[in-house]
Amino acid sequence: MKILTVVIPCYNSAAYMDHAIESALTGNEDVDIIIVNDGSSDDTSVIADEYKKKYPHLIQVVHKENGGHGDAI
């Protein structure tokens, strides 16, 4: 049973996504991680999809049009 869900909203955040995701991964099997790509135009979507492939049992990725931070959350 998962004890924590971490939502990581991202907009053009390729430069610091690795740090945010790796920090959340320290929870191991106790966490679910949801990465929300809020319409980024940089490599955010590529990085998110790579993490999803690497950790399919922990990470979900949502790609959506830009709606701002509140909408991404």
Side-chain angles (χ1 to χ4, degrees), residues 1 9 11 13 16 20-22 28 32 35 40 43 48 62 64:
M1 177 178 184
Y11 177 73
S13 52
Y16 51 88
I21 296 166
E22 292 293 334
N28 297 315
D32 277 323
I35 303 169
S40 300
D43 286 336
V62 176
K64 59 181 273 328

Side-chain angles (χ1 to χ4, degrees), residues 8-58:
I8 304 175
C10 302
Y11 177 73
N12 291 339
S13 52
Y16 51 88
M17 283 180 67
D18 287 327
H19 180 70
I21 296 166
E22 292 293 334
S23 294
L25 284 169
T26 61
N28 297 315
E29 299 294 322
D30 291 331
V31 298
D32 277 323
I33 301 168
I34 303 171
I35 303 169
V36 182
N37 174 25
D38 194 28
S40 300
S41 59
D42 63 357
D43 286 336
T44 295
S45 63
V46 173
I47 294 168
D49 289 339
E50 286 173 358
Y51 271 100
K52 169 65 177 163
K53 285 180 188 173
K54 190 172 180 180
Y55 302 99
H57 57 290
L58 298 177

